[in-house]
Amino acid sequence: MDLDGRRESENFEDRRGMSGGTMAGMGIGGIIIMGLIALLMGGNPLDVIQSTGGLGSMTGGQEEGTEIATTPEEEEQVKFCRQILASTEDVWSAVFKKMGRTYESPTLVIFRNSVQTNCGGATSAVGPFYCSADKKLYLDLSFFKQMETQLKSGGDFARAYVIAHEVGHHVENLLGTLGKAHSQMQRVNSRQSNQISVRLELLADYYAGVWAHYEDRAFGSLDETDMREAINCAEHIGDNYLQEQSQGYSQPESFTHGTSDQRMRWLKRGYQTGDMSTTTFTGDYSDL
């Protein structure tokens, strides 16, 4: 992905030298189990956790800052993330303008190990996530290494897809889709709630594709290799793939993010069309 000379977003917070405290009301064993489940699910697990009552409160008061050592590789990753975020700002500002709306850019927060958010406390185990309460994206850069080693999903556009997916949840939030979906999830049974969650995740994948559509149209920055990287990543974070890898079989009723096939198809559809009239919240669930 060619980003030479591209600007870096100013909507950025570096919290790598801060401590996010610990989650109250849960022992370390519970935190580890929750983290493993979230890692298996991929994508944006915090919103799903919120729908069942939240992550809990934080102990330890304010985050404390300390000096940290960084590597040139990390700083290159930070630059890349800020450039991708800047691209999403440009694309979505233009798309929202066409819809007669004003786009409000989210903030990207880089952290290590744990972080405190307006949605509660989280550890790196949950992976990248979006908090609708403060309109911020949260990312521990170590996730990129996990993508390469555990998910077999390397490449710069695969990393860009991860950020664009979380920005997709922000777009859902600004359009009112996220709030309505979370309200519905509170009123239905677990199976129906999971299906709503899948619709949200597939829509965020679609919006990631819409971003790629307009990014490529404006800059010609993508090639076939880039799209293969993103599609490969989508395949490896499908609920069926992750469950089969971890336990040898899948349980469709427990899916919260969609199958590999669904995630790949919705990402590709967004990239191919760039059509904002398309949504995952119409039609039968079986047709997704």
Side-chain angles (χ1 to χ4, degrees):
M1 185 176 186
D2 184 8
L3 295 173
D4 287 349
R6 301 282 291 277
R7 74 176 183 90
E8 300 176 33
S9 174
E10 296 299 322
N11 296 305
F12 171 76
E13 293 180 23
D14 189 344
R15 298 194 199 172
R16 286 176 291 175
M18 295 183 177
S19 171
T22 58
M23 284 181 280
M26 182 181 295
I28 186 65
I31 294 173
I32 292 173
I33 292 172
M34 187 180 71
L36 288 173
I37 294 172
L39 183 60
L40 287 175
M41 289 301 98
N44 187 37
L46 191 62
D47 282 334
V48 179
I49 295 169
Q50 282 178 261
S51 71
T52 62
L55 283 169
S57 60
M58 296 290 295
T59 61
Q62 297 291 322
E63 294 178 320
E64 297 180 359
T66 58
E67 291 188 8
I68 58 168
T70 63
T71 64
E73 179 185 12
E74 266 195 345
E75 295 315 302
E76 279 298 311
Q77 290 178 342
V78 169
K79 178 181 179 181
F80 175 82
C81 290
R82 295 179 66 174
Q83 287 177 318
I84 294 299
L85 185 63
S87 171
T88 66
E89 291 167 353
D90 295 340
V91 166
W92 287 115
S93 292
V95 170
F96 269 55
K97 186 176 181 180
K98 288 182 180 179
M99 296 190 296
R101 295 172 175 264
T102 300
Y103 181 69
E104 178 186 349
S105 301
T107 296
L108 172 63
V109 178
I110 301 294
F111 71 97
R112 280 182 180 172
N113 302 321
S114 62
V115 68
Q116 184 175 4
T117 81
N118 285 1
C119 297
T123 70
S124 301
V126 303
F129 62 90
Y130 171 69
C131 173
S132 58
D134 56 24
K135 297 180 180 177
K136 295 180 179 181
L137 324 173
Y138 292 86
L139 170 68
D140 186 324
L141 295 173
S142 65
F143 182 74
F144 291 152
K145 180 61 68 176
Q146 292 177 341
M147 286 176 60
E148 295 178 6
T149 59
Q150 297 178 17
L151 300 178
K152 310 302 181 185
S153 301
D156 53 2
F157 195 64
R159 294 191 292 269
Y161 158 58
V162 168
I163 297 171
H165 173 92
E166 301 308 332
V167 173
H169 285 302
H170 179 65
V171 172
E172 293 174 340
N173 189 26
L174 295 181
L175 295 178
T177 308
L178 191 64
K180 290 178 182 177
H182 282 165
S183 295
Q184 291 174 348
M185 290 167 74
Q186 302 272 346
R187 300 192 299 267
V188 297
N189 60 40
S190 60
R191 181 183 63 83
Q192 293 170 321
S193 177
N194 287 346
Q195 291 180 355
I196 294 171
S197 175
V198 168
R199 290 183 186 271
L200 279 174
E201 296 301 328
L202 295 181
L203 186 57
D205 283 335
Y206 179 80
Y207 286 156
V210 170
W211 160 74
H213 173 91
Y214 290 107
E215 158 67 25
D216 194 29
R217 173 183 288 186
F219 296 98
S221 53
L222 307 181
D223 58 29
E224 291 184 5
T225 299
D226 291 315
M227 187 49 61
R228 283 199 298 268
E229 289 173 355
I231 290 173
N232 178 61
C233 182
E235 178 183 11
H236 284 79
I237 57 177
D239 286 328
N240 61 317
Y241 180 88
L242 291 169
Q243 289 186 4
E244 289 165 6
Q245 292 296 307
S246 65
Q247 61 190 23
Y249 60 93
S250 62
Q251 298 171 288
E253 69 278 4
S254 70
F255 290 174
T256 58
H257 286 65
T259 66
S260 296
D261 178 67
Q262 287 173 323
R263 301 200 70 168
M264 290 187 293
R265 282 192 291 107
W266 282 98
L267 173 64
K268 288 173 65 176
R269 186 179 300 180
Y271 175 68
Q272 291 168 348
T273 68
D275 180 12
M276 287 300 291
S277 66
T278 299
T279 180
T280 57
F281 279 86
T282 58
D284 293 336
Y285 179 76
S286 60
D287 293 332
L288 287 175

